[in-house]
Amino acid sequence: FQKVELAKEAIIRSVAMLSPLDRVGVIAFDESAKWVVEMTPAEDKNDIARRVATIRADGGTDIYAGVLAISRVMPDEPGDLRHIVLLTDGGADETGIPELVKQMYDDYGITFSVIAIGQGYAPFVEELPKLADGRFHFAYNVDTIPEIFSEETVLATRAYIIEREFFPTLTSSSPIMTGISGTPSIKGYIGSTIKPTARQILATDQKDPLLAAWQYGLGRSVAWTSDATGRWAANWVSWSDYARFW
């Protein structure tokens, strides 16, 4: 029951991140597959959420039925980016599934990711994303399902991924920046908006928040919208103030 409720929350969160120009569909499967939300523009998010909320836990894990159902409509979907996310927690018969996933990718460029919950998933699902330029996620804790779904949505649409080199701008004073007069360039970040009660400390060249902080209860939260590795923050890793900043 908890898994299903978290899965529904994850879907609703992910739909909220889509633009009205995006399209979305939801299929539930147990011993058979059925459309919960037929492919539709992501405009009426409340209606989509209402329909997702009707999903109920049941027995069976017929992954093939679900993949077959989506394979019949996805090739005709408009747009250059077409992505499927499979969420499963049970064993299943592998027959026909890899072939369908590979055919959709080879013929139509449809990518395919998998989120597996707990230890009981069928091992073959780990291989499916490799056939269709997707990602495999192991949700060792069911509480991580919404977060993983959100990550998949961002990576699939790339709507919020901004890859360009720029020098951050200091927009307000903060103890975080004590003793730091300037920073190296950043090569990318996740686009976002500042919370009304937050204080932006560093901004991107597009005036999006790069570093922000705000009071939360008795504590303080900090948001950093880039990474800390060699992809976007490559120039920061060798920066003399790298350790001081973190």
Side-chain angles (χ1 to χ4, degrees):
F1 176 77
Q2 184 189 14
K3 292 177 183 177
V4 172
E5 291 305 307
L6 285 168
K8 291 191 290 188
E9 178 189 346
I11 296 169
I12 292 168
R13 277 197 204 178
S14 297
V15 170
M17 298 171 70
L18 300 175
S19 81
L21 298 177
D22 293 321
R23 290 173 61 83
V24 64
V26 180
I27 294 175
F29 58 89
D30 38 51
E31 294 178 349
S32 59
K34 66 174 182 179
W35 283 93
V36 177
V37 178
E38 294 189 4
M39 297 300 300
T40 184
E43 292 178 326
D44 192 341
K45 294 180 171 58
N46 289 333
D47 180 60
I48 295 171
R50 179 186 59 77
R51 285 189 269 172
V52 169
T54 65
I55 298 174
R56 295 291 179 266
D58 208 339
T61 311
D62 191 347
I63 296 176
Y64 178 77
V67 176
L68 180 62
I70 195 69
S71 72
R72 289 172 172 166
V73 301
M74 280 293 268
D76 296 324
E77 278 295 302
D80 296 328
L81 291 171
R82 287 171 290 181
H83 186 60
I84 298 168
V85 180
L86 167 67
L87 176 66
T88 180
D89 69 345
D93 183 359
E94 179 180 3
T95 305
I97 299 172
E99 291 80 5
L100 263 180
V101 170
K102 189 173 188 305
Q103 181 182 4
M104 283 191 287
Y105 180 69
D106 289 347
D107 294 350
Y108 305 104
I110 299 168
T111 51
F112 193 99
S113 287
V114 174
I115 303 173
I117 312 170
Q119 299 289 349
Y121 68 87
F124 77 87
V125 299
E126 291 188 31
E127 303 302 315
L128 298 179
K130 298 176 184 178
L131 302 173
D133 196 26
R135 291 159 293 277
F136 175 79
H137 304 270
F138 173 51
Y140 58 90
N141 184 330
V142 293
D143 294 335
T144 63
I145 297 172
E147 180 183 344
I148 293 172
F149 245 100
S150 297
E151 178 185 343
E152 267 299 308
T153 304
V154 169
L155 291 174
T157 63
R158 297 189 66 83
Y160 304 101
I161 296 178
I162 301 166
E163 293 190 299
R164 54 190 296 160
E165 189 165 5
F166 63 91
F167 284 92
T169 302
L170 183 67
T171 55
S172 66
S173 62
S174 167
I176 297 173
M177 302 301 292
T178 298
I180 299 175
S181 58
T183 70
S185 61
I186 286 281
K187 297 182 178 180
Y189 65 101
I190 301 294
S192 61
T193 54
I194 194 80
K195 285 179 176 290
T197 57
R199 182 161 51 89
Q200 183 166 284
I201 301 167
L202 291 176
T204 73
D205 61 334
Q206 300 296 301
K207 303 188 186 305
D208 293 329
L210 180 66
L211 177 67
W214 67 99
Q215 202 71 28
Y216 189 83
L218 297 177
R220 185 178 296 272
S221 294
V222 175
W224 169 254
T225 62
S226 187
D227 67 4
T229 66
R231 178 173 178 178
W232 291 341
N235 296 332
W236 285 53
V237 174
S238 58
W239 176 38
S240 59
D241 281 328
Y242 182 75
R244 178 199 292 267
F245 175 79
W246 291 114

